[in-house]
Amino acid sequence: MWPGPYGDWGSRKYLMASLHQSLKRMKLDYVDIFYHHRPDPNTPLEETMVALRDIVHQGKACYVGLSNYPPDLAQKAAALLRAMGTPCLIHQPKYSMLVRTPEEGLLDVLQAEGIGAIAFSPLAQGLLTNKYLGGIPADSRASKEHFLKSDMITAELMEKIDRLNNLAIQRGQTLAQMAIAWLLKDERVSSVLVGARNSEQLVDSLKALDRLDFTADELALIDAILKYN
Ligand SMILES: NC(=O)c1ccc[n+]([C@@H]2O[C@H](COP(=O)([O-])OP(=O)(O)OC[C@H]3O[C@@H](n4cnc5c(N)ncnc54)[C@H](OP(=O)(O)O)[C@@H]3O)[C@@H](O)[C@H]2O)c1
């Protein structure tokens, strides 16, 4: 992204230029998946999808992905891409125990269209871990006020996190592992895009795979703690 009318969003000019710059920076000939970051209200959807199709045809990406598209636009974009012979492979929504928006239609659209979901911010940027239960640690994201603001660490939220943490301990997991397993329990979720500040966090998160199953009671308790239903 860069300043100016073609430095962001979904025009053909922006998509082509940003991919070329990324390939140059990464010293690669092509990427496996090229995601369109978010829908552009000022560019026809057709222009964006044709540009994605052309990027695949040029051999600069193997597959097309979308991110942050609401259900109706995701469906329209999927139909356009499929008609052009470059089906959308994967959709990247923000999804976690604390952000349930994809359950309000998007996951159903993805299932119907045969598109996988890869959840970004699965740990709600670190909120879905035990790190804030004793206050805000000095090296944490909230301490840097970068993306995660310290005023999001409220007593009400920490009470829920504490209860979720207790459930995770009963399951023999860390809360981070349970938060990831909770996403992967849904067959519509192909993968999760975890962030990690260091290798210890990544190793911890990967151990989520050791316990992916949930009982119906556990799922109901999680919803009750989050007051989701
Ligand atoms: N498509 C989009 O619009 C979009 C938007 C945002 C992000 N993304 C992608 O999604 C990726 C992940 O997003 P995210 O970084 O917000 O994900 P996240 O996994 O929700 O949060 C990562 C943060 O959680 C903490 N953490 C990670 N593993 C931990 C563990 N095992 N125990 C304790 N704390 C742990 C760390 O915070 P501390 O630094 O505080 O320790 C880490 O920086 C990004 O790298 C980006 O590629 C996509």
Side-chain angles (χ1 to χ4, degrees):
M1 288 188 262
W2 54 91
Y6 297 110
D8 196 355
W9 298 102
S11 67
R12 181 178 182 84
K13 165 79 178 167
Y14 167 65
L15 291 177
M16 295 283 175
S18 69
L19 177 58
H20 288 175
Q21 291 181 23
S22 297
L23 291 174
K24 226 172 171 179
R25 273 198 306 274
M26 295 187 292
K27 298 188 174 55
L28 291 173
D29 295 327
Y30 68 92
V31 289
D32 291 344
I33 302 174
F34 185 62
Y35 286 96
H36 183 227
H37 187 190
R38 57 185 160 188
D40 180 351
N42 297 314
T43 299
L45 192 63
E46 288 78 3
E47 175 174 335
T48 306
M49 295 309 128
V50 167
L52 293 173
R53 187 264 323 256
D54 289 349
I55 280 166
V56 170
H57 281 198
Q58 288 168 2
K60 290 179 177 142
C62 297
Y63 302 101
V64 168
L66 299 173
S67 182
N68 300 307
Y69 273 60
D72 56 335
L73 278 181
Q75 195 154 32
K76 280 186 195 149
L80 286 167
L81 286 168
R82 196 175 40 247
M84 292 188 292
T86 34
C88 176
L89 190 79
I90 192 140
H91 190 115
Q92 195 183 123
K94 187 184 223 179
Y95 188 28
S96 69
M97 287 199 287
L98 293 180
V99 178
R100 308 271 292 252
T101 331
E103 293 170 20
E104 294 160 14
L106 181 68
L107 289 172
D108 288 339
V109 167
L110 300 186
Q111 187 172 37
E113 297 288 341
I115 299 170
I118 176 165
F120 77 80
S121 292
L123 302 177
Q125 304 199 47
L127 290 176
L128 285 166
T129 69
N130 57 11
K131 76 171 57 198
Y132 294 112
L133 288 174
I136 300 180
D139 52 358
S140 64
R141 211 178 263 198
S143 73
K144 296 170 198 146
E145 301 279 347
H146 187 56
F147 293 117
L148 187 59
K149 304 292 177 202
S150 57
D151 60 12
M152 292 169 74
I153 319 289
T154 61
E156 189 191 357
L157 177 62
M158 284 309 110
E159 197 238 311
K160 292 178 184 176
I161 298 297
D162 191 30
R163 292 183 64 198
L164 290 173
N165 189 47
N166 288 337
L167 176 61
I169 291 167
Q170 279 171 34
R171 284 169 46 85
Q173 290 184 307
T174 64
L175 177 51
Q177 290 161 7
M178 186 175 84
I180 292 167
W182 180 87
L183 287 165
L184 292 174
K185 74 185 179 334
D186 188 328
E187 62 176 15
R188 298 169 296 183
V189 176
S190 308
S191 189
V192 294
L193 191 51
V194 288
R197 180 163 46 84
N198 52 43
S199 53
E200 287 77 22
Q201 287 182 346
L202 185 58
V203 169
D204 178 56
S205 295
L206 286 172
K207 287 193 191 128
L209 298 175
D210 293 346
R211 175 93 206 266
L212 291 174
D213 62 296
F214 285 85
T215 66
D217 284 350
E218 285 173 337
L219 293 176
L221 178 58
I222 289 169
D223 282 349
I225 291 171
L226 296 169
K227 298 189 175 47
Y228 190 70
N229 282 323

